[in-house]
């Protein structure tokens, strides 16, 4: 990793996110949308004010957040990217469903209008999952491989893993990867109704935003004057058919990732768990205690600071690890999803 940026409840840019996380500041505020009293929304985010009026009239919030974050990352990273090598720069962006608000609005119009086809065609692109990834690449002239990844709470880790494989296989010179999620009343109600049973219940209010990372070989980063920020040591992803299997899945994922990296539990100085709360969160905690035993690395619990960002959660966990880990330290990011997935990523910062 040689660059990163975020649009988060702390504001726009990596610096705002780092300051908020290091201070442990609660970024959630009172919300007037949906069943939750509080939400972690990007403060005063206005796509037209940031991106201009051209091309933003029908742009949904998730896409606007992704396009804005991509622009901030490219602006701060320097040379060798979109302006110089557009065909060699790829993009892998994770999302939960795309823009839930856009999908619901478009579907509602087709059902309540005089005819099913009496809908606004300009808003149809917002209903497909790869809208944010595709528009971000088009807006910033990234012409390399473009992919959308969806994997629940693990999405950010899966996107990072996908992007690293693109690099290793030589499909691009560098790649932007991460995940985006928007906050809206419809998404809030879907999350609320879908987690009425205790084992699946969210730990707190919902959040939104985008976290993006620049991946490239160390030699390429240094050639363009960028200092490597972190090295990907390993990742593991497993499924668990029953909720009771979550603990064993996390134990196995972390153990195998450590083995792949040639590291011991004592080498890890920071853990950023998914902090999902409830029974599932308890099993994640029990798994980490089982793996690390008496060694107690610092644990950073991000979700309670910015809200449950769903598909963008793990990407924000990765960004938090970059902010807090001391140089030379090893950070572990873990995630579990109520739909039966567990995974982890090891980074050396």
């Amino acid at each position: 990793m040689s660059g990163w940026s975020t649009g988060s409840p702390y504001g726009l840019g990596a610096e705002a996110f780092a300051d908020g996380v290091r201070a442990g500041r609660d970024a959630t505020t009172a919300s007037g949308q949906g069943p939750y009293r509080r939400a972690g929304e990007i403060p005063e985010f206005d796509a037209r004010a940031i991106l201009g009026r051209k091309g933003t009239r029908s742009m949904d919030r998730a896409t606007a957040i992704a396009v804005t974050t991509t622009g901030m990352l490219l602006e701060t990273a320097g040379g060798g990217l979109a302006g110089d090598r557009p065909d060699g720069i790829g993009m892998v962006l994770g999302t939960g469903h795309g823009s839930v608000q856009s999908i619901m609005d478009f579907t509602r119009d087709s059902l309540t209008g005089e005819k099913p086809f009496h809908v606004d065609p300009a808003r149809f692109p917002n209903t497909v999952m790869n809208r944010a990834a595709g528009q971000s690449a088009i807006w910033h002239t990234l012409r390399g491989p473009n992919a959308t990844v969806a994997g629940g709470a693990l999405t950010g880790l899966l996107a990072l893993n996908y992007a690293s494989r693109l690099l290793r296989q030589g499909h691009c010179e560098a790649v932007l990867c991460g995940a985006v999620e928007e906050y809206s009343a419809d998404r809030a109600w879907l999350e609320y109704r879908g987690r009425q049973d205790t084992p699946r219940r969210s730990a707190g209010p919902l959040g939104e935003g985008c976290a993006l990372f620049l991946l490239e070989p160390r030699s390429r980063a240094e050639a363009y004057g960028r200092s490597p920020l972190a090295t990907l040591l390993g990742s593991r992803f497993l499924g668990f058919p029953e909720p009771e299997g979550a603990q064993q899945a996390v134990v196995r994922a972390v153990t195998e990732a450590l083995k792949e990296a040639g590291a011991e539990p004592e080498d890890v100085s920071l853990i950023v768990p998914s902090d999902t709360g409830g029974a599932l969160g308890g099993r994640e905690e029990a798994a980490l205690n089982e793996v690390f035993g008496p060694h107690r690395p610092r644990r950073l619990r991000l979700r309670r600071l910015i809200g449950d960002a769903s598909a963008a959660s793990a990407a924000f966990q990765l960004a938090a690890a970059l902010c807090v880990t001391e140089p030379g330290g090893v950070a572990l990011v873990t995630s579990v999803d109520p739909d039966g997935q567990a995974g982890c990523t090891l980074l050396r910062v």
Side-chain angles (χ1 to χ4, degrees), residues 6-52:
T6 66
S8 76
Y10 289 120
L12 297 178
E15 188 174 346
F17 182 81
D19 289 345
V21 169
R22 288 168 183 157
R25 180 161 46 87
D26 182 359
T28 63
T29 57
S31 172
Q33 299 187 81
Y36 297 100
R37 294 181 179 178
R38 299 181 67 80
E41 299 176 73
I42 301 175
E44 300 178 354
F45 181 77
D46 183 341
R48 288 192 175 188
I50 298 169
L51 301 173

Side-chain angles (χ1 to χ4, degrees), residues 55-252:
T56 55
R57 184 181 67 83
S58 60
M59 185 181 287
D60 64 81
R61 186 173 177 86
T63 301
I65 294 171
V67 171
T68 299
T69 307
T70 302
M72 290 189 296
L73 176 52
L74 292 173
E75 182 177 348
T76 57
L81 299 174
D84 302 323
R85 308 281 296 175
D87 294 335
I89 313 303
M91 183 158 203
V92 180
L93 188 65
T95 178
H97 308 277
S99 171
V100 171
Q101 189 70 51
S102 297
I103 295 169
M104 299 291 275
D105 288 345
F106 195 83
T107 303
R108 187 181 297 111
D109 287 348
S110 72
L111 295 172
T112 59
E114 186 175 343
K115 298 289 185 182
F117 47 87
H118 287 180
V119 294
D120 182 355
R123 296 189 179 278
F124 176 74
N126 295 335
T127 67
V128 297
M129 288 185 66
N130 65 344
R131 165 67 163 166
Q135 188 63 29
S136 295
I138 293 168
W139 194 280
H140 296 291
T141 64
L142 305 175
R143 297 176 186 151
N146 189 281
T148 297
V149 175
L154 282 68
T155 296
L157 304 185
L158 293 167
L160 178 64
N161 192 51
Y162 189 107
S164 69
R165 295 208 313 270
L166 282 179
L167 278 182
R168 287 199 301 268
Q169 296 299 321
H171 295 299
C172 54
E173 299 178 18
V175 57
L176 277 62
C177 69
V180 65
E181 192 70 80
E182 67 176 15
Y183 182 80
S184 66
D186 283 342
R187 177 188 158 221
W189 277 111
L190 281 178
E191 293 275 1
Y192 181 78
R193 297 296 187 194
R195 299 192 181 194
Q196 287 294 291
D197 55 317
T198 302
R200 294 169 55 87
R201 188 168 296 164
S202 172
L206 299 183
E208 69 169 2
C210 178
L212 282 178
F213 310 92
L214 173 60
L215 258 64
E216 60 186 335
R218 176 182 291 269
S219 59
R220 189 181 193 280
E222 292 173 342
Y224 285 100
R226 288 184 283 273
S227 299
L229 303 176
T231 301
L232 177 62
L233 300 179
S235 297
R236 276 293 185 278
F237 303 98
L238 296 166
F240 51 92
E242 300 296 334
E244 293 74 16
Q247 179 175 339
Q248 188 54 41
V250 174
V251 168
R252 185 179 161 193

Side-chain angles (χ1 to χ4, degrees), residues 250-274:
V250 174
V251 168
R252 185 179 161 193
V254 173
T255 302
E256 291 183 359
L258 286 168
K259 183 178 180 181
E260 177 186 353
E264 299 295 332
E266 291 74 18
D267 297 328
V268 176
S269 58
L270 175 73
I271 301 175
V272 191
S274 55

Side-chain angles (χ1 to χ4, degrees), residues 245-337:
Q247 179 175 339
Q248 188 54 41
V250 174
V251 168
R252 185 179 161 193
V254 173
T255 302
E256 291 183 359
L258 286 168
K259 183 178 180 181
E260 177 186 353
E264 299 295 332
E266 291 74 18
D267 297 328
V268 176
S269 58
L270 175 73
I271 301 175
V272 191
S274 55
D275 191 26
T276 190
L280 190 61
R283 292 185 177 104
E284 183 184 26
E285 286 294 309
L288 293 173
N289 291 338
E290 183 177 337
V291 173
F292 287 92
H295 177 55
R296 298 288 182 183
R298 177 185 174 186
R299 295 190 190 184
L300 173 60
R301 306 184 189 283
L302 184 64
R303 188 170 299 200
R304 60 194 65 183
L305 299 180
I306 65 172
D308 179 356
S310 297
S313 296
F316 278 128
Q317 291 170 244
L318 289 166
L322 295 180
C323 298
V324 175
T325 309
E326 295 292 332
V330 175
L332 171 69
V333 176
T334 64
S335 186
V336 290
D337 186 88

